Amino acid sequence: MTEEVPTVGHLLDRLAATYPQLARAMESEDSLVNVAINEEMFLEGIRGLPLKSGDRVELIQAFSGG
Amino acid sequence: MIRERVDRLLARLATESQFPTQGRTLFVDLERQAVREAYTPRSVVEAFLGGRGVNMFYLANLLDPSLHPEHPDIPLVYGSGIATGIIPSASRGNLTSWSPDSRILMDSNAGDYFASFLRLNGIDHLVLYGRAANPTLLFIEGGALTFRDATPYAGMNNVDLRARVAQDFDGRWGGNLAMINIGEAGERGVRVAGVMTGPKSLHARGGTGAKMGSLNLKAIVIRGITKLEYAHPESVPPKNRDIARQFMSTGVGKILHERGTPFLYKPSRQLWAMGTKNNQETVWVPDLDSENFDRFRPSMTGCFRCPVNCRPMNDITSVYPSDPELAALVAHVDALGYDGKRYLTGDGPEYVTVGKFGPNMGVKKPEHVIYLNNICNDLGLDTAGTGGNLSWAFELYQRGLLTAKETGGLRLEWGDLRVIAELLFLTAKREGFGRAIAAGSRAVDEGFYPPGSEKYRMAVKRTMQSDPHDARILKAFALGLAVATRGFDHLRNRVTLEINARINDDPAYKARLYGGPVSGKPNSYEGKELAVKVCEEVYAVGDAVGMCRFTTKLFNSPSLPGYGEFREQIRNATGLDLSEEHLTAIGANIRGIERMINATLGVTRKDDTVPDRWFEEPIKGGPYTGERVDRVQFDAMLTRFYDLCKLNAEGVPTVDWREELNRIVFGYNVTFPGLLPNPRTGRSR
């Protein structure tokens, strides 16, 4: 991102505006997308997580077990 | 003794099929080479459904706790699910007995082709007992079972055995042949040996291979299948198409189809919940993320009529001999007297193996994990049990509790590929220090390790953890692992959706999913007992149906087939009209009978716990730094779980429910005013 996004929520909204298909996928009942910031995955309160310049954000599958 | 028990049980079984598609139960006396047959009574099917559930009915009736697990009078029970071979992805069967390793309930679910082939030969269950005079192979064709001399196959491992059997029986794997078998590890009673169901799939946990070996049974081979007659034949195919579409459209179905289970590595790693070096640490290298296995995965394969095809094949010849560590490893295996290049191609690995032979052993490269995986598949070693016992030994060595003197000169240093590989071969042969690994839970009792070593054994109920996920953070995972009826195991009840942030951030949705409030905080203890209960029940029913866990509702997706789909297709195939509430009750019944069997074997509340390390040592980094399991809060959560599941203070069904289960299972009930002393320990309960 080249514009400031202070939280993960802002980032997701920005991504959703650019990629509507991604937004639909993330909102579906079967959405299995988690957020990892700088190689650390978070499991709750996702939208409020703060971001700073230079953070690396990954959307990764939320799976466990196996 | 077993024969008297079988006589009494047969008198209570049905002599005719109870519903369309029901197969027979064969009682196979290996010592006398005799077979008797009957059908499971309808009342038992209505209480336990099939597969794992009905296996418990047979085991409970035939188990003599005054013996020991390897005694030939302790039966080994195989059961296909009620819809195995009927519903797509329902290709599973369970192997059940008294575990030689954990000395509690042994029950192991696996797929590939055998379970479906058995059911499509008109056989639902096999009850195997007595020790054969010579190595024996059972051959089934057209529904008839015959005894064959397996002496020519004795000592053979999986790769050679499969090639030889296909040739001798003029068949083709994945075509008209299916088999379960043991390798030399099972023949020698190695307690981490499994029963193979294919080139990679095996019945893991509890030493199933050692139990099969104790009967001198090398393999069961099935050639050909027949067609089942459904109650409503016109309804089965369209419903099957719906079910396949349903699970193939989920996110988990898609990624399984693409990469198989190794995709599970990255989420655990990024959470700092990846068991590393015997769970001393919880994070490891990104090199083992599933995308790094892509170049070694030439194709995918799968179980009988399963469209998911989640099993990755492997081929690491592209980095041999350019990878110097791999080249040295192959040379070392050659020097040990084996064909080192044989293990450059194979089947797998699953995520469990990536975890147990990657971070858990200090191994960093995909090709090295793949190579060790291929050795285990050939030797018939359960990678969870073997990996767990290896990492235990390596930590003991790290701490100086073991030295090169005890290990026969082997230096057990993390990541030493040659030592790990050598130990696999020694374990399968029960030679040198491999005898300690082969001893499994009894390594201290049998004098291989000094007293006090148990402190570092990452086990519950003497069973090594099944999966690599370190559950200090997610309390629902910890509770599930603690209460699983076959020991430290995630596949009985894991609340996988605890790892889903979208669900955690939507309390109303989460409450609908589990039928009540469950905290959205993954490290909270609140409400987790409800989620574990709900998962445990639907997974037990899934096993009784024969469904794969990865295509059963709540295992990584709320959109997978569950009670509704099971109900409809059971009705279409069998004519049995079981409501969703009835199926839920069956899930609870399976928990109840398994806990009653375990109580007979001495399991009490104190065994429903997690290793001390998870209570005492906090997570050292990541988003949940400092997290551990609190003993007081864990104990309170356990009490709530017992109350919710109608279990008494020791974790067995309450008196009323126990009486009800007794009448179904044993045909009678006698109630004493207090609990009698445990027959094995003599202690009061």
Side-chain angles (χ1 to χ4, degrees):
Chain A
M1 302 295 294
T2 54
E3 298 168 60
E4 187 180 350
V5 278
T7 66
V8 169
H10 287 91
L11 171 67
L12 294 177
D13 290 344
R14 194 71 55 83
L15 284 172
T18 314
Y19 306 102
Q21 207 173 359
L22 175 68
R24 279 196 297 276
M26 290 189 67
E27 285 163 8
S28 80
E29 180 176 286
D30 194 46
S31 169
L32 298 165
V33 178
N34 270 6
V35 172
I37 305 172
N38 302 325
E39 284 278 299
E40 291 183 0
M41 186 172 72
F42 293 84
L43 303 182
E44 57 181 316
I46 294 302
R47 291 187 62 83
L49 291 171
L51 293 175
K52 60 181 187 309
S53 179
D55 279 345
R56 177 189 164 89
V57 180
E58 281 180 276
L59 302 181
I60 64 167
Q61 282 110 1
F63 293 130
S64 68
Chain B
M1 190 63 169
I2 180 70
R3 294 178 186 89
E4 291 164 20
R5 286 175 182 254
V6 168
D7 286 344
R8 285 200 298 271
L9 180 58
L10 276 164
R12 294 173 44 222
L13 300 184
T15 54
E16 294 179 344
S17 173
Q18 304 290 287
F19 51 84
T21 76
Q22 188 186 29
R24 296 159 293 153
T25 295
L26 302 188
F27 292 83
V28 182
D29 186 336
L30 286 151
E31 183 185 342
R32 297 184 180 174
Q33 297 207 341
V35 182
R36 300 167 79 183
E37 63 180 54
Y39 291 87
T40 307
R42 185 163 172 149
S43 60
V44 173
V45 173
E46 288 174 351
F48 302 109
L49 200 58
R52 168 183 160 190
V54 173
N55 276 8
M56 298 304 157
F57 163 78
Y58 287 115
L59 180 66
N61 273 283
L62 299 174
L63 179 65
D64 180 350
S66 70
L67 301 175
H68 60 85
E70 290 99 335
H71 194 288
D73 279 5
I74 298 297
L76 178 63
V77 184
Y78 190 92
S80 292
I82 195 167
T84 294
I86 298 173
I87 296 177
S89 185
S91 45
R92 317 283 294 189
N94 276 61
L95 201 53
T96 305
S97 188
W98 181 6
S99 165
D101 190 25
S102 66
R103 285 163 279 159
I104 63 162
L105 174 67
M106 181 185 89
D107 181 62
S108 177
N109 179 281
D112 209 273
Y113 278 59
F114 184 84
S116 302
F117 268 48
L118 188 70
R119 190 129 211 288
L120 296 174
N121 267 269
I123 302 167
D124 288 356
H125 296 271
L126 294 168
V127 179
L128 309 157
Y129 56 91
R131 180 174 170 82
N134 300 306
T136 295
L137 180 149
L138 300 177
F139 179 61
I140 297 171
E141 187 172 40
L145 182 149
T146 53
F147 295 82
R148 303 287 179 95
D149 179 18
T151 304
Y153 307 118
M156 291 178 86
N157 284 316
N158 207 35
V159 173
D160 288 338
L161 181 67
R162 288 177 64 78
R164 178 77 180 272
V165 167
Q167 184 183 344
D168 291 353
F169 288 83
D170 191 24
R172 185 173 63 82
W173 304 116
N176 65 341
L177 273 189
M179 174 169 72
I180 57 172
N181 63 276
I182 54 173
E184 62 177 332
E187 291 176 42
R188 293 172 191 271
V190 171
R191 297 192 184 107
V192 292
V195 170
M196 301 300 302
T197 68
K200 186 275 300 174
S201 303
L202 94 163
H203 289 280
R205 325 290 293 135
T208 59
K211 180 58 206 170
M212 189 156 152
S214 75
L215 304 180
N216 214 5
L217 177 60
K218 179 68 178 174
I220 307 176
V221 176
I222 307 177
R223 185 166 62 193
I225 54 176
T226 57
K227 196 170 183 298
L228 296 177
E229 298 298 327
Y230 299 136
H232 304 288
E234 71 290 350
S235 304
V236 173
K239 187 62 193 172
N240 273 345
R241 284 194 290 274
D242 289 346
I243 289 173
R245 247 192 315 270
Q246 183 179 353
F247 60 65
M248 290 307 290
S249 66
T250 62
V252 67
K254 287 171 186 160
I255 188 131
L256 276 171
H257 185 67
E258 185 186 329
R259 287 204 170 118
T261 57
F263 70 83
L264 294 156
Y265 175 85
K266 188 171 184 175
S268 291
R269 176 180 71 75
Q270 291 194 326
L271 191 60
W272 282 59
M274 174 51 67
T276 299
K277 296 180 181 173
N278 206 35
N279 295 74
Q280 295 181 88
E281 301 161 25
T282 60
V283 72
W284 195 240
V285 296
D287 308 59
L288 294 176
D289 288 353
S290 63
E291 57 266 32
N292 298 315
F293 285 77
D294 287 354
R295 65 187 176 127
F296 303 122
R297 191 179 57 245
S299 61
M300 300 290 286
T301 186
C303 298
F304 181 76
R305 292 180 186 168
C306 178
V308 180
N309 265 8
C310 71
R311 275 173 29 209
M313 304 298 288
N314 68 64
D315 184 343
I316 54 172
T317 51
S318 61
V319 290
Y320 176 81
S322 57
D323 177 327
E325 293 165 288
L326 181 62
L329 179 57
V330 172
H332 189 65
V333 171
D334 280 337
L336 293 172
Y338 298 87
D339 175 7
K341 293 192 186 67
R342 158 175 290 191
Y343 303 114
L344 294 172
T345 58
D347 193 326
E350 301 288 344
Y351 160 64
V352 163
T353 309
V354 174
K356 293 291 183 181
F357 282 87
N360 198 45
M361 293 305 301
V363 174
K364 293 179 178 171
K365 286 187 173 180
E367 58 266 39
H368 299 162
V369 172
I370 288 170
Y371 192 87
L372 296 170
N373 162 80
N374 292 346
I375 295 175
C376 289
N377 289 346
D378 188 29
L379 301 180
L381 294 175
D382 161 15
T383 55
T386 306
N389 278 289
L390 284 172
S391 64
W392 178 33
F394 276 53
E395 183 176 353
L396 295 178
Y397 188 87
Q398 171 199 311
R399 291 180 179 278
L401 291 165
L402 284 179
T403 67
K405 186 180 164 200
E406 289 83 28
T407 64
L410 293 173
R411 294 162 58 87
L412 308 188
E413 289 175 355
W414 300 109
D416 190 324
L417 299 169
R418 284 178 286 186
V419 168
I420 298 169
E422 185 166 343
L423 269 175
L424 294 177
F425 291 110
L426 288 172
T427 299
K429 285 196 170 299
R430 249 192 149 129
E431 290 178 353
F433 186 66
R435 290 180 303 142
I437 306 299
S441 66
R442 296 192 213 178
V444 176
D445 300 342
E446 294 179 2
F448 294 109
Y449 303 155
S453 299
E454 298 95 333
K455 177 179 168 62
Y456 304 104
R457 192 166 198 265
M458 291 300 293
V460 171
K461 302 184 185 83
R462 294 181 292 272
T463 311
M464 286 296 183
Q465 189 180 355
S466 51
D467 79 317
H469 191 101
D470 189 291
R472 272 171 271 204
I473 298 168
L474 290 113
K475 301 307 185 292
F477 284 22
L479 177 63
L481 290 163
V483 301
T485 51
R486 61 173 182 173
F488 206 2
D489 197 274
H490 70 295
L491 286 166
R492 297 304 239 209
N493 53 34
R494 174 151 295 176
V495 190
T496 57
L497 294 173
E498 284 290 283
I499 213 164
N500 186 309
R502 188 190 70 80
I503 292 174
N504 284 334
D505 284 344
D506 187 346
Y509 180 83
K510 195 165 183 177
R512 282 200 303 279
L513 206 53
Y514 299 114
V518 177
S519 172
K521 296 185 77 63
N523 55 345
S524 161
Y525 300 81
E526 294 307 313
K528 306 301 180 180
E529 64 279 0
L530 173 61
V532 172
K533 172 185 183 288
V534 169
C535 287
E536 191 160 88
E537 287 162 0
V538 73
Y539 298 167
V541 172
D543 286 344
V545 166
M547 201 74 175
C548 176
R549 184 69 75 253
F550 272 101
T551 47
T552 297
K553 188 178 176 78
L554 295 182
F555 202 76
N556 282 310
S557 171
S559 310
L560 292 163
Y563 294 128
E565 292 77 12
F566 296 158
R567 178 197 182 189
E568 197 172 332
Q569 202 62 318
I570 289 170
R571 188 178 53 205
N572 292 337
T574 69
L576 297 174
D577 193 6
L578 307 173
S579 67
E580 294 189 30
E581 293 72 24
H582 189 137
L583 289 175
T584 311
I586 285 174
N589 281 347
I590 294 172
R591 175 199 297 123
I593 184 65
E594 289 179 353
R595 283 186 164 268
M596 286 165 65
I597 291 170
N598 271 342
T600 304
L601 299 173
V603 174
T604 63
R605 179 192 183 103
K606 68 174 172 38
D607 299 299
D608 283 347
T609 187
V610 293
D612 285 345
R613 174 162 278 160
W614 288 2
F615 289 116
E616 295 165 1
E617 299 175 21
I619 297 277
K620 294 171 186 166
Y624 292 91
T625 304
E627 196 68 37
R628 61 182 175 83
V629 182
D630 179 86
R631 285 188 193 275
V632 174
Q633 295 200 68
F634 179 85
D635 198 55
M637 178 169 63
L638 181 63
T639 298
R640 296 196 300 272
F641 176 78
Y642 283 0
D643 290 346
L644 201 58
C645 297
K646 288 173 53 181
L647 304 172
N648 70 12
E650 289 301 332
V652 293
T654 51
V655 172
D656 289 354
W657 187 22
R658 211 160 60 228
E659 288 178 1
E660 190 184 326
L661 288 171
N662 277 341
R663 286 195 186 90
I664 297 165
V665 175
F666 303 110
Y668 65 93
N669 176 72
V670 178
T671 303
F672 292 89
L675 283 171
L676 292 173
N678 183 283
R680 287 191 55 71
T681 65
R683 290 195 301 269
S684 58
R685 292 182 284 190

